[in-house]
Structure formats: C-alpha cells, structure tokens
Amino acid sequence: MAMKDYSDEFKADAVALYESTPGATYKGIAADLGVSRGALRVWVLRARGENGTPQPAAGPAARGPLPAGADGEAAARIRELEDRVRRLEASERKLTAERDILRKAAKYFAGGDALVSRFQFVDDHRDAFGVKRLCQVLGVNRSSYYKWRDGAGPRAVKEAADRALAEEIRAVHADSDGAYGSPRITAELRADGRRINHKRVARVMRKFSIAGIRLRRRVRTTIAEPSATPVPDLFGRDFTALEPGLKYMGDITYLPVGDGEFLYLATVLDCFSRRVVGWSIAGHMRTELVADALRMAARTRGGLDGSTFHSDHGAQYTSREFALLCGELGVTQSMGAVGSSADNAACESFHASLKRETLRGAHRYPGAELCRRSVFRWLTRYNTRRRHSANGQLSPVDFERRHRQESARLTLAA
C-alpha cells in the first residue's frame, strides 16, 4: 500500500536511487518504490536545485553533465513532449466517450433511427456525456435539439390527444368488423359530431397500426357464351343514375369454402345509391342463380319495369332464359365489351370489398353455412350502415332517404 506521508529520509533515498541507477526513468523507479511518478520527479528536481545540479525534466538514457547550452533545449523538448502526451490523453478520452455513446446508441436505435429518436437519446444521456458531444457524435444540430426539448409540453398534449382519438378510431374500426379505412372512419366520426381532418385520422391509424382490410386477387368467373345474341352497351362505363330504380348492374363472384369447394353469389345493385336490391347464393353458376337475384330485386323495388340492367358477357346473362325473364319484368339488357373488366368495374369492386371484409385475410370460409351467414350479415349492414364514398360517405339506404326528402321538399316548393 502506498505511503501518504513520506519522511525526508525516504525522499532522499528515493532521489539517490534514481540518480544512481543507469537508464532509470521516473515511471520505473516510482513503480518500484510504490510512489507516484509526479512525486518522485518533484523530489529529484528539488534535490538538484538545492545542489546546483542541472535539472533535465525526464530521465536521460545516461546520467552525466549536460553540454553547455543544453538546458534550454531539453526543457523545451520536455514541454513539447508533455503537451503531446496531454493531447493524446485527451484524444483517447474523447474516443472512449464516443465509443461508449455509439455502443449505447446501437441498442437504443435498434427499432429505427429517426431524428426524433436522436433528440430523445441526447436528452436521455445528456448528464453522462454532455449535449455538445452527443450532438456531434449523432450528427444533430444543438439548436434543433433545444428547440425539440422546449416543445416537450405541447408534444405531450398532442400525444395524449392522439391516444384518445386512437381509442375512438378503434371503437369505429371494431364496429365495422375491422373493415373501415381512414375515409370511412373519418365520416363516422364526423357523423357523431366530431370536427376532424381525414389526414389526422390516417396519421393516427398509421401511428397505432390500425388498418382496414386490403384487397385480394380476383379469380375469373365470367365464362362467355359464344352463341349468344349480341347485346349493346347502354352504360358506356357510366355507373351513375339520377334517381333510384333507373339503372341496375349485376355480376357473379365465387365464395371459396371448405377444402377446394365454392359457393357463388349473384348480386343486383342500384347505380344511384349502390344499394344491393337483389342477391342469390348457390353451389352452382347456372342461369337460375342470376335469375333469382333479379327476381329479388323486383320484389325489393316493387317492380323493375322501364329500368336497364347491365352485366358482363357471362353465359348466365346471355342465355335465352335470362333474356325472357328480363322481358317479363320490363328490363332492358345492357352488356359491356367482351373481356373488359372496366365495363363492369363497379360490380367487381363491390364484390372485392365484400370478400375482403368477410374473409378478413383468410383464403377460405370455414364452411358453407358460415359463409352464407357472413355474406348475409355483410350485405344487410352494407345497405343500412356501411358508408360509401360514392354517396358522400352515407350508407345506400340513408342516401336514398335523403334523396326522397329533397325531392319531396322541391315538390312542395314548386
């Protein structure tokens, strides 16, 4: 154990040992004696000063009288070396600190390196390393960090507001069976009296990983009948109408169930409100499938006389049986070009939404009965509750109701 107070005798013996040892260094002799290098140096220099002996600052390779005029050069050289040592030690300390910062940062940014994360890292480690050094190592501007830190209060308020909004969004999202994306959720919140921007809803949904159900790849169900009588395209890709009951469109889609089996759904939609006025589900794609859907539409509307029905060139729609039914109901047929999905795009988009929101990412429905129930529930909710972008985010039923109210008001005003 090193002594704290050294006697004059101990100091004199230490100096004598240093001076009498060829090639001695302060560091080596100090280590042998268990004293500090600086203390030994002070004792040696003091003893030389008292004896009038020249005082080189570092242990020379060989002891002896220095040449005349060598004292000044040696002292200058010693000062230069000591300065270099101090600089090297400072550089080493800096590199060590930066290494420690980068090691901590590697773990801190494992989940992603964003500018805000860097500011937070500086804030979390400023007591250990200092703001200046942290900003230099991480490549951020100190003034930007201080500006970020000063905004902590408003950020906390914004974060709390985002979390509260996320809870409202989750409630609407769950009520839609996880189907709604940001546009429909925005419309739902506005309907409840919230004044809110759709961009904020989209941002909060991204932030909290809330997402609607995305589109899946379609399978072709349209099989043309080569011998069918040509039917003109009376829609020209215009799937809008001035009022309910004028223009209808229909299509067939497959519903995968069980192990490699399918059910098939035929629908009839009103172009005015996108309301599903008729549908039919069966385990086949015969003409009676689409015929049953059209008959349901006639019952729902109280008749289809004078309306136009648009479809693709599937064999069911081009059959003589379906043409006779249309004539019986007073419906004029319309068909798009062969092989062009865009000529019946609205129907195909509707079916894609149905399967996306009922399958919810699965490849198949668990069974035929569950498939029927799921589709039936979705179709009824679609008409009465599901918001539609083409209707100004109103459900088909609400859109038609508003149209009737406006028509009645205009009639009274006239």
Side-chain angles (χ1 to χ4, degrees), residues 175 180 188 273-276 279 376-388 391 393-401:
D175 192 50
Y180 278 8
E188 196 73 35
S273 62
R274 299 297 198 272
R275 180 178 178 180
V276 189
W279 70 81
F376 172 78
R377 180 174 182 267
W378 191 90
L379 290 171
T380 52
R381 284 171 59 92
Y382 172 89
N383 280 339
T384 59
R385 297 186 59 186
R386 190 180 186 276
R387 298 180 181 276
H388 203 298
N391 297 340
Q393 297 298 357
L394 292 176
S395 70
V397 169
D398 287 340
F399 190 66
E400 290 187 1
R401 181 184 298 116

Side-chain angles (χ1 to χ4, degrees), residues 32-292:
D32 292 341
L33 297 175
V35 301
S36 68
R37 172 182 172 277
L40 178 61
R41 181 173 178 272
V42 169
W43 299 340
V44 171
L45 295 178
R46 184 181 298 154
R48 288 176 177 175
E50 292 173 354
N51 299 331
T53 306
Q55 303 176 19
R63 300 294 171 183
L66 292 173
D71 290 352
E73 295 179 7
R77 179 59 177 166
I78 289 170
R79 285 194 297 272
E80 179 184 346
L81 292 174
E82 288 178 339
D83 288 343
R84 180 179 297 178
V85 169
R86 282 195 295 272
R87 289 195 299 270
L88 289 174
E89 289 175 344
S91 178
E92 183 182 4
R93 288 193 298 271
K94 178 182 177 183
L95 290 174
T96 300
E98 291 178 356
R99 180 199 62 195
D100 293 342
I101 291 171
L102 292 173
R103 282 178 177 175
K104 292 179 180 294
K107 297 179 180 179
Y108 195 92
F109 299 129
D113 180 10
L115 182 60
V116 172
S117 301
R118 295 189 183 196
F119 289 153
Q120 188 63 58
F121 181 85
V122 172
D123 202 56
D124 292 344
H125 298 84
R126 60 181 178 175
D127 292 336
F129 299 104
V131 172
K132 181 178 180 180
R133 176 166 294 170
L134 286 164
C135 289
Q136 287 174 342
V137 174
L138 297 179
V140 298
N141 191 292
R142 268 191 295 168
S143 62
S144 298
Y145 158 72
Y146 286 120
K147 183 177 180 181
W148 172 86
R149 191 186 66 176
D150 293 342
R155 274 200 315 278
V157 173
K158 181 181 179 182
E159 178 66 20
D162 283 352
R163 290 188 179 279
L165 177 58
E167 290 305 311
E168 295 182 63
I169 290 173
R170 286 194 181 98
V172 176
H173 190 253
D175 192 50
S176 71
D177 291 336
Y180 278 8
S182 59
R184 290 189 174 90
I185 288 180
T186 302
E188 196 73 35
L189 293 172
R190 287 173 177 171
D192 291 339
R194 285 293 304 272
R195 298 181 62 184
I196 192 164
N197 187 286
H198 71 279
K199 292 182 180 179
R200 184 185 175 202
V201 173
R203 177 182 60 79
V204 171
M205 289 181 70
R206 286 194 302 271
K207 179 178 179 179
F208 292 92
S209 301
I210 306 170
I213 303 172
R214 298 186 179 277
L215 189 64
R216 295 178 58 85
R217 189 175 65 177
R218 296 181 293 106
V219 173
R220 181 171 177 253
T221 55
T222 301
I223 303 173
E225 174 57 59
S227 61
T229 303
V231 175
D233 182 358
L234 303 178
F235 274 34
R237 300 186 183 181
D238 178 10
F239 301 106
T240 63
L242 297 177
E243 60 182 54
L246 295 180
K247 296 167 64 177
Y248 297 96
M249 51 188 171
D251 199 2
I252 301 173
T253 192
Y254 76 101
L255 303 171
V257 296
D259 186 13
E261 299 178 352
F262 292 92
L263 291 179
Y264 299 93
L265 169 69
T267 53
V268 179
L269 281 69
D270 192 305
C271 291
F272 174 76
S273 62
R274 299 297 198 272
R275 180 178 178 180
V276 189
V277 293
W279 70 81
S280 177
I281 302 176
H284 60 79
M285 285 200 301
R286 295 191 293 271
T287 301
E288 63 189 86
L289 175 70
V290 297
D292 287 345

